[in-house]
Amino acid sequence: MSPNQAAAPHELSPPDADQPSERAGQATSRGIGQGGRPRTLWAWACLAPTFAGLLVFNYWPLLQTMYLSTQKSDLFGRPAGFAGVDVYAGLLTDPAFGQTLLITLVFVVLSVAGKLIVGLALAVPLAQRMRGTAFARATVLIPMAVSAAVAGLAFRAMMTPNTGILDQLSLQLSGETAGWLTSPTVAMVSVAMVDVWTSIGFVTLLFIAAIDAVPLEVIEASSIDGAGWRHRLGSVILPLITPTLFFVLVTQSMQAMREFTVISTVTGGGPGGATTTLVFEIYQQAFGGTANYSAASAMGVILLVIIAVMTAVQFRFLERRVNY
Amino acid sequence: MSAPLRRGTTAQVVIVAYLSVAAVIVIFPLLYVVFASFRPGPAITGQLSDLVPTGFSLEHYVAAFARAPLVQQMINSTVVTIAQTALQVITALLAAYALVFGRLRRPGLVFGLILFTMMVPGETILVSNFLTVRAMGLFDTVVAVFLPFMVAAYNVFLLRQSFLSFPKEIHEAAQVDGVGRMGFLWKFLVPLSAPTLMTVTLMSAIAAWNGYLWPLVVSESPSVRTLQVGIKILTDETGSDIGTPLAGVVIAVVPTIILVLLGQRFLAQGLTAGASK
């Protein structure tokens, strides 16, 4: 019934091997392949809407972004003369931009570390399918249904100075307000925390699926050997779900790199720019009062490069797994 | 599936208690907002009573609907969700069909050109897409909110994966029997890959409903905004009054909660597809 089962025979083959066998025959007769040309016309017609969309809203903008990043920008964002790599050079030597990259890095590290730790802390016991945990299992998945904007505004209310429950909590526990939204250091923790919350259903689901896939015999064998739960977790379960841990690490790093909504709704990049990450800065440059499209485009290209490196790592890794 | 814990009931009680408390903490922000939105008077007070429902009043909802065109924004979000999902599913169905059964000479290359766009962050091409949409005269229209998302490479990826499992002979046989090209897609592939299609549809719909940055950039008038952007603006405009935007928050979250609860099974399959290849 499930697509995963239905697709099973192909799932283990590398991408190039999963083409139908007849295609291999076609490839050998490539010399006379021209005769088959009209037969593919309908296929190109089917691909036309996809490529029309990609052309206008992906390929072209990518080229235009690169072009804009080499142009000066006037007050209205119009290109105002060739600047070469000046925009990039200006950015990369600007301490303020260095600060933005640093803030982005801190946010990504806090957010991803939080997701791995909280996700495992929820998934390991949930995967036991113990009686009485149905409520917990259904509940921890609910954040998947909640948009980042909704979560951000909900947490912002909880973090409101004086009246928010989290602010009150810190006041009661430590005698002083934590400054969830007003202290530069704490605000960074606040946005990372909200980002963890928005992804926790998804991450937990992935971990549960991975732990479920660990063969029962392996776990039982380690039980018979007298391994305690701590040993079983550290030496048996975690090593066996390394692929999923890595997948979550890479995809969630990319997601955190690109997070805008949480920062916009919780802190608005503040206080004093303390939570202004790269993506938030792109938005600010282009639409936050100024129309500095050239700087925004150059930052976009820098973002692209960072994401491309992350994706390359992910694909290399996936490939290796698929080939097993 | 997994190892049942064969241990003393004490351990079991501890784990169940731990999980229940953890679940309540996870879900607490939503409960807090729901309680606050129905609370008479100030929505949040900083008292411990904020943790539980106290009284029932619709005043914050009345204020929210009076303050912003929430009904219109709900309609906008619905239109965007339906149009964007339909476009993404139809383009992906056609593209995946062509990729798997189209006998293209370089299907891998064509697929690569599509898949490549997954690597380009929307934030990178944000400015450029904004300029394109503005040049098209679509700025501050509902169409501008969904049109740039008409193609989703991940949907092509999932549907292609599903189609690859069909024996190619069925396609040949259907052609011989006089089933048209499109007939094969609608009458055979679509019904047979219904679970994947369901996953793709649900994921597209939730992403469309929850969109934020692009709708924020491309809309200006309150009557064009989607609900996600609308409730943020409501927060900015109402300042220290928290009850009004929180009522908006509850209104915005209900549809996706329903979608996710109904489609849990399909979502779980789609979301884990990339990880458990």
Side-chain angles (χ1 to χ4, degrees), chain A residues 1-4 6-7 10-11 15 18-20 22-23 26 30 34 37 39-40 42-44 46-47 49-51 53-54 56-62 64-65 68 121-122 125-128 130-133 135-136 138-147 149-150 153-158 160 162-165 168 197 200 202 205-206 209 211-212 216 219-220 229 232 247 258 260-261 264-265 279 282-283 286-287 293 296-297 300-301 303-304 307-308 311 318 321-322, chain B residues 1-7 12 15-16 18-20 22-30 32-33 44-48 50-51 91-92 94-95 97-107 110 113-114 116-117 119-134 136 147-148 150-151 160-161 164-165 168 171-172 181-182 195-196 206 210 212-213 216-217 228 231-232 235 242 246 249 252-253 256-257 260-261 264 268-269 271-277:
Chain A
M1 275 313 276
S2 84
N4 291 340
H10 291 276
E11 276 175 356
D18 57 21
Q19 299 307 331
E22 63 200 60
R23 187 158 290 130
Q26 200 188 359
R30 186 167 282 168
Q34 292 293 356
R37 256 283 154 94
R39 297 183 61 190
T40 66
W42 69 271
W44 285 110
C46 286
L47 285 163
T50 291
F51 278 103
L54 293 181
V56 178
F57 298 112
N58 284 92
Y59 303 143
W60 159 249
L62 193 54
Q64 194 187 19
T65 301
L68 286 174
L122 290 171
L126 280 176
Q128 309 292 331
M130 212 180 285
R131 228 179 268 170
T133 59
F135 160 76
T139 309
V140 298
L141 297 183
I142 284 184
M144 278 201 308
V146 179
S147 73
V150 163
L153 293 174
F155 272 95
R156 190 188 164 86
M158 295 170 72
T160 308
N162 301 318
T163 52
I165 199 76
Q168 278 298 317
W197 190 88
I200 206 58
F202 173 47
L205 186 74
L206 287 177
I211 297 172
D212 272 352
L216 195 56
I219 295 183
E220 271 174 354
W229 71 270
R232 214 156 43 169
F247 176 82
R258 297 177 51 186
F260 174 84
T261 315
S264 163
T265 50
V279 164
I282 291 176
Y283 171 80
F287 306 105
Y293 295 155
S297 297
V301 174
L303 173 72
L304 174 74
I307 299 271
T311 318
L318 278 179
R321 278 187 59 221
V322 169
Chain B
M1 293 275 183
S2 182
L5 267 196
R6 295 173 205 275
R7 263 191 276 152
Q12 189 159 342
I15 292 176
V16 169
Y18 157 78
L19 281 175
S20 305
V24 170
I25 293 174
V26 167
I27 204 66
F28 179 70
L30 281 186
Y32 179 80
V33 168
I44 59 172
T45 60
Q47 306 300 311
L48 275 178
D50 280 2
L51 294 170
T91 53
L94 291 172
Y97 181 38
L99 284 170
V100 176
F101 295 98
R103 296 192 171 202
L104 300 168
R105 296 184 67 193
R106 304 288 303 277
V110 177
L113 277 174
I114 297 172
F116 156 77
T117 59
M119 213 193 282
V120 181
E123 297 77 17
T124 293
I125 50 177
L126 180 73
V127 169
S128 178
N129 271 334
F130 169 77
L131 295 175
T132 305
V133 160
R134 200 174 61 179
M136 287 172 162
L147 193 63
M150 62 178 279
V151 178
R160 173 182 170 274
Q161 195 78 2
L164 281 173
S165 66
K168 300 296 164 292
H171 188 234
E172 304 303 319
R181 302 252 182 237
M182 289 302 113
T196 309
I206 292 170
N210 289 344
Y212 181 79
L213 173 56
L216 175 70
V217 162
Q228 303 294 326
I231 55 173
K232 167 65 165 77
T235 310
I242 287 178
L246 289 190
V249 163
V253 80
T256 40
I257 297 240
V260 167
L261 289 181
Q264 222 174 2
Q269 284 165 0
L271 293 171
T272 52
S276 56
K277 265 181 65 160

Side-chain angles (χ1 to χ4, degrees), chain B:
Chain B
M1 293 275 183
S2 182
L5 267 196
R6 295 173 205 275
R7 263 191 276 152
T9 42
T10 322
Q12 189 159 342
V13 167
V14 169
I15 292 176
V16 169
Y18 157 78
L19 281 175
S20 305
V21 171
V24 170
I25 293 174
V26 167
I27 204 66
F28 179 70
L30 281 186
L31 295 177
Y32 179 80
V33 168
V34 172
F35 298 158
S37 71
F38 288 112
R39 185 167 291 124
I44 59 172
T45 60
Q47 306 300 311
L48 275 178
S49 57
D50 280 2
L51 294 170
V52 291
T54 52
F56 179 86
S57 152
L58 289 177
E59 61 188 273
H60 300 305
Y61 288 86
V62 173
F65 279 105
R67 193 102 197 188
L70 287 181
V71 175
Q72 180 63 48
Q73 292 176 353
M74 245 185 274
I75 296 173
N76 294 344
S77 283
T78 310
V79 169
V80 165
T81 302
I82 292 173
Q84 188 169 315
T85 306
L87 282 171
Q88 286 188 358
V89 169
I90 291 169
T91 53
L93 263 179
L94 291 172
Y97 181 38
L99 284 170
V100 176
F101 295 98
R103 296 192 171 202
L104 300 168
R105 296 184 67 193
R106 304 288 303 277
L109 178 70
V110 177
F111 184 48
L113 277 174
I114 297 172
L115 216 53
F116 156 77
T117 59
M118 275 179 74
M119 213 193 282
V120 181
E123 297 77 17
T124 293
I125 50 177
L126 180 73
V127 169
S128 178
N129 271 334
F130 169 77
L131 295 175
T132 305
V133 160
R134 200 174 61 179
M136 287 172 162
L138 290 174
F139 176 70
D140 206 22
T141 64
V142 173
V143 175
V145 177
F146 66 79
L147 193 63
F149 294 97
M150 62 178 279
V151 178
Y154 190 55
N155 291 352
V156 180
F157 171 81
L158 285 179
L159 284 171
R160 173 182 170 274
Q161 195 78 2
S162 169
F163 289 175
L164 281 173
S165 66
F166 292 103
K168 300 296 164 292
E169 297 76 39
I170 294 184
H171 188 234
E172 304 303 319
Q175 301 297 305
V176 172
D177 285 353
V179 178
R181 302 252 182 237
M182 289 302 113
F184 182 74
L185 177 60
W186 299 123
K187 290 185 195 133
F188 288 78
L189 287 184
V190 167
L192 285 171
S193 57
T196 309
L197 206 53
M198 193 71 187
T199 304
V200 164
T201 307
L202 270 173
M203 291 200 314
S204 303
I206 292 170
W209 181 269
N210 289 344
Y212 181 79
L213 173 56
W214 178 250
L216 175 70
V217 162
V218 89
S219 65
E220 198 174 42
S221 325
S223 62
V224 173
R225 287 187 186 124
T226 58
L227 209 44
Q228 303 294 326
V229 177
I231 55 173
K232 167 65 165 77
I233 308 290
L234 203 54
T235 310
D236 300 340
E237 285 171 353
T238 49
S240 60
D241 168 23
I242 287 178
T244 311
L246 289 190
V249 163
V250 173
I251 293 166
V253 80
V254 168
T256 40
I257 297 240
I258 293 173
L259 267 184
V260 167
L261 289 181
L262 290 180
Q264 222 174 2
R265 191 164 65 96
F266 298 106
L267 276 175
Q269 284 165 0
L271 293 171
T272 52
S276 56
K277 265 181 65 160

Side-chain angles (χ1 to χ4, degrees), chain A residues 190-226:
Chain A
S190 302
V191 282
M193 195 167 95
V194 180
D195 196 44
V196 169
W197 190 88
T198 58
S199 304
I200 206 58
F202 173 47
V203 171
T204 305
L205 186 74
L206 287 177
F207 284 155
I208 291 177
I211 297 172
D212 272 352
V214 174
L216 195 56
E217 306 83 67
V218 175
I219 295 183
E220 271 174 354
S222 69
S223 298
I224 292 165
D225 291 349

Side-chain angles (χ1 to χ4, degrees), chain A residues 110-188:
Chain A
L110 283 179
S111 159
V112 174
K115 285 171 194 178
L116 288 173
I117 293 167
V118 179
L120 280 175
L122 290 171
V124 171
L126 280 176
Q128 309 292 331
R129 312 226 169 243
M130 212 180 285
R131 228 179 268 170
T133 59
F135 160 76
R137 215 173 299 141
T139 309
V140 298
L141 297 183
I142 284 184
M144 278 201 308
V146 179
S147 73
V150 163
L153 293 174
F155 272 95
R156 190 188 164 86
M158 295 170 72
M159 291 167 174
T160 308
N162 301 318
T163 52
I165 199 76
L166 286 178
D167 196 59
Q168 278 298 317
L169 191 70
S170 63
L171 198 61
Q172 300 298 333
L173 290 181
S174 68
E176 52 189 309
T177 166
W180 297 104
L181 304 174
T182 50
S183 150
T185 332
V186 181
M188 175 55 85

